[in-house]
Amino acid sequence: MIFLISLVITPSCTQRKESIQKFAEFYNLHLEDYKQLVFVPNDGCGACIKEGKEYITTHIHDPKILHIYVSRFHSDLASFKEKPNFLLDKQMKALDFGIVSTGAVVYEVELDSLFLMLPNPNQN
């Protein structure tokens, strides 16, 4: 199970918040409809991506979580493509905007705020 801690995105992280807003505009997403945004890249740290995919699989039925899989391909998550809370970022915009790199990233959405949630660095 993924243990997550939250960190408030501070003014020094304004660029990341702006990147998420650009991403949302690109895909015409209404961030206020979601409690969490889960970005999982296809490429990168294998263990991190595996945990990210498991998180998607476990939480796909929660309509308040938007699951974004960043990949031109989606073979093992193909069954989720019709879910309204699953987005396949085939154009890799999350990478273009600098939202993800090599591991899964989770954001908590609250009134005009985003909280970055990261895996516990001490997790085995």
Side-chain angles (χ1 to χ4, degrees), residues 42 69-77 88-90 92:
N42 184 49
Y69 190 55
V70 184
S71 175
R72 295 193 197 290
F73 311 101
H74 61 285
S75 59
D76 56 341
L77 297 176
L88 178 61
D89 181 17
K90 281 187 174 182
M92 312 280 279

Side-chain angles (χ1 to χ4, degrees), residues 108-120:
E108 181 113 352
V109 180
E110 291 187 7
L111 296 172
D112 297 325
S113 298
L114 289 171
F115 296 89
L116 176 60
M117 301 176 74
L118 301 171
N120 182 349

Side-chain angles (χ1 to χ4, degrees), residues 91-110:
Q91 296 187 38
M92 312 280 279
K93 290 298 179 181
L95 286 171
D96 291 347
F97 294 139
I99 297 169
V100 296
S101 57
T102 60
V105 182
V106 179
Y107 291 93
E108 181 113 352
V109 180
E110 291 187 7

Side-chain angles (χ1 to χ4, degrees), residues 34 36 38 40 51-69 76-88:
Y34 302 101
Q36 286 184 351
V38 178
V40 179
E51 281 191 14
K53 287 180 180 181
E54 288 173 2
Y55 189 85
I56 289 174
T57 302
T58 303
H59 296 91
I60 194 65
H61 299 292
D62 186 341
K64 287 296 192 181
I65 300 175
L66 177 61
H67 305 278
I68 300 127
Y69 190 55
D76 56 341
L77 297 176
S79 62
F80 301 138
K81 69 180 180 181
E82 299 301 321
K83 297 279 187 184
N85 63 330
F86 181 81
L87 173 67
L88 178 61

Side-chain angles (χ1 to χ4, degrees), residues 3-37:
F3 175 74
L4 302 172
I5 59 174
S6 64
L7 300 170
V8 177
I9 294 182
T10 61
S12 63
C13 295
T14 301
Q15 184 176 7
R16 190 176 295 251
K17 185 175 179 179
E18 289 173 359
S19 294
I20 291 172
Q21 289 170 337
K22 286 180 187 178
F23 182 88
E25 288 172 14
F26 182 84
Y27 282 108
N28 196 27
L29 300 172
H30 301 280
L31 296 181
E32 64 275 5
D33 293 344
Y34 302 101
K35 186 177 177 182
Q36 286 184 351
L37 308 175

